[in-house]
Amino acid sequence: MNSTSPQSSQFNYSVHGLRGVASIMVLIAHILGGTAEHIYNDRPGYVEGIVPFHNFGTSGVMLFFVISGFVILPSVMRYSPSEFALRRLLRLYPLFLVSTLFFAVLNGVTNRYPELNNLESVLFSLTFLDLFTTTKQVAPNAWSLTYEVMFYTLACMTYFFLTRKMNIVWKIASLAIPVLFTYYYPKALFFLSGAAIYWMYRSEITIGLKYTKTLEAISFLVWVYLASTWDFKFRTYEFYEAYPTIIPAPALLVLATATYFFFAASRDSLTGKLLNNRIMFFFGTISYSFYLVHPYIYFATRQIFSSLGLFGENIFVSLLIFGAVVFILTSIFSHFSYLILERLPYQIFFGQKIYRNRRVQNA
């Protein structure tokens, strides 16, 4: 096995740990961005100073998309479309359903977000159709799940039609639809890059590549720099606007993210060595719950800190304490959310855990 082969044909500890990293990145972005907007908005030095860190944190969602492409493609190839859909449903929907209904009830009582306080928004959210309507996802952070579901659907459809003997028209359509979706929703490029990286490893295209650790370190620094510098919505028009680069800046950021992930996912990568421990295994395992649960913990904790006057003049100390409390509470609640709303339904139906290989290498 060459040095750039995935760590394991069954389980990739680097990728699993990066799940946890991505969820923590998003939490940090929300802590910094939220306090800049609602607490210290009269401190321009802080508001401007956190921009690079906020930008990098929000790119954690795009890292999630790359990871999804990498881990979902083998799942699409392993299961029938019906079993694939059922496994995805039981893996994601229980927590999503509870999170959405919880927010809908709270918003119904407080009317804090009146534009979301209607049955239409809730129904479109629950069916993941909000991407194609004028409504938005109701639950905080759940907008990315709509993209995930679309990625899963198109990946499964495309693979099914391309690997079956059927009319050429269906095969062309199975390619045309994802192409059109990617054109109108370029965030799909991250998912496609993750799937392409998995296919490269599966096809052993990476044999003979040298200096992978050095390239990994360089690609990581480039990714961090670009993700901290640019903040895109990844809309189609952004790929046509003039930027001071040969490659459009959004495409360059996609490429930088994918390049780093390519090396990070390899066997014996620097990323794998750093993340191959029980702590990051834990955060990789609860990353989905961590991602959906933390906005509620953040908001409630911010309200308590504000009412008690705990956001003081020393921003660094205040944020350090606030961030630590949010992080610890989120970790605790996410752990139980994972056990009850993620693992339990999946285990009851399929008779197996979500992550069956729990052995941490070299631990």
Side-chain angles (χ1 to χ4, degrees):
M1 181 178 291
N2 65 86
S3 62
T4 56
S5 299
Q7 291 181 13
S8 169
S9 61
Q10 298 299 320
F11 197 87
N12 190 305
Y13 291 90
S14 299
V15 174
H16 189 69
L18 282 173
R19 285 189 175 110
V21 170
S23 64
I24 294 172
M25 286 171 59
V26 177
L27 170 62
I28 292 174
H30 286 163
I31 289 175
L32 295 176
T35 52
E37 180 178 358
H38 300 287
I39 305 299
Y40 294 112
N41 50 5
D42 59 341
R43 307 282 287 273
Y46 173 70
V47 174
E48 296 173 7
I50 59 96
V51 170
F53 303 97
H54 178 266
N55 289 348
F56 181 66
T58 58
S59 67
V61 179
M62 304 308 147
L63 180 57
F64 265 129
F65 288 164
V66 178
I67 294 171
S68 291
F70 187 85
V71 301
I72 290 303
L73 181 57
S75 185
V76 166
M77 297 167 64
R78 183 181 306 122
Y79 302 115
S80 67
S82 58
E83 184 174 358
F84 170 78
L86 183 58
R87 285 180 179 272
R88 289 292 89 201
L89 179 69
L90 288 176
R91 173 70 179 85
L92 301 179
Y93 204 76
L95 174 57
F96 167 75
L97 176 64
V98 170
S99 177
T100 301
L101 295 180
F102 180 69
F103 181 90
V105 171
L106 284 180
N107 198 37
V109 174
T110 64
N111 199 34
R112 185 177 182 87
Y113 302 95
E115 72 279 8
L116 300 177
N117 196 8
N118 57 80
L119 183 60
E120 181 183 23
S121 293
V122 175
L123 291 178
F124 281 132
S125 294
L126 291 174
T127 54
F128 299 110
L129 295 175
D130 56 282
L131 193 62
F132 310 109
T133 68
T134 57
T135 63
K136 297 181 179 179
Q137 260 293 345
V138 170
N141 280 359
W143 67 268
S144 64
L145 291 183
T146 295
Y147 279 92
E148 292 276 0
V149 170
M150 294 302 146
F151 298 157
Y152 301 162
T153 302
L154 293 176
C156 185
M157 177 197 72
T158 302
Y159 182 78
F160 177 81
F161 283 115
L162 290 181
T163 56
R164 300 299 191 280
K165 291 183 178 180
M166 54 181 56
N167 192 294
I168 188 64
V169 175
W170 287 105
K171 292 182 181 290
I172 294 174
S174 70
L175 289 174
I177 293 175
V179 169
L180 288 174
F181 181 87
T182 303
Y183 175 80
Y184 287 106
Y185 304 100
K187 290 184 180 72
L189 289 170
F190 289 97
F191 183 86
L192 291 173
S193 66
I197 291 168
Y198 171 80
W199 192 266
M200 290 173 68
Y201 279 129
R202 184 176 184 272
S203 304
E204 298 186 342
I205 294 177
T206 59
I207 289 178
L209 196 60
K210 298 180 180 180
Y211 311 114
T212 55
K213 288 184 172 60
T214 301
L215 293 173
E216 179 187 359
I218 294 173
S219 63
F220 172 77
L221 293 175
V222 172
W223 171 57
V224 170
Y225 173 76
L226 295 182
S228 302
T229 304
W230 294 327
D231 182 25
F232 299 111
K233 300 300 181 184
F234 292 98
R235 306 289 173 80
T236 304
Y237 68 85
E238 291 180 315
F239 286 77
Y240 292 98
E241 292 182 345
Y243 289 99
T245 55
I246 297 176
I247 303 175
L252 194 60
L253 186 51
V254 174
L255 181 61
T257 308
T259 302
Y260 164 64
F261 183 81
F262 171 82
F263 292 110
S266 66
R267 184 173 68 88
D268 296 328
S269 68
L270 292 173
T271 300
K273 292 182 182 299
L274 289 172
L275 300 182
N276 184 22
N277 55 72
R278 296 185 185 280
I279 294 175
M280 290 314 303
F281 189 93
F282 169 75
F283 283 107
T285 299
I286 68 167
S287 58
Y288 175 51
S289 281
F290 197 97
Y291 179 72
L292 285 188
V293 167
H294 86 252
Y296 300 101
I297 304 298
Y298 159 78
F299 181 78
T301 306
R302 195 187 78 198
Q303 293 296 102
I304 294 173
F305 267 58
S306 295
S307 63
L308 295 178
L310 297 179
F311 287 111
E313 288 298 313
N314 191 318
I315 299 178
F316 178 79
V317 174
S318 297
L319 285 184
L320 188 63
I321 297 173
F322 174 67
V325 172
V326 173
F327 184 83
I328 292 171
L329 290 178
T330 299
S331 300
I332 294 172
F333 278 88
S334 298
H335 172 64
F336 289 104
S337 170
Y338 166 74
L339 293 177
I340 298 171
L341 297 174
E342 291 189 64
R343 193 174 75 173
L344 184 61
Y346 194 91
Q347 192 167 352
I348 289 176
F349 192 89
F350 292 109
Q352 64 186 55
K353 296 179 181 178
I354 297 173
Y355 303 112
R356 284 167 280 178
N357 190 342
R358 297 185 61 85
R359 179 178 61 85
V360 179
Q361 297 172 335
N362 303 323

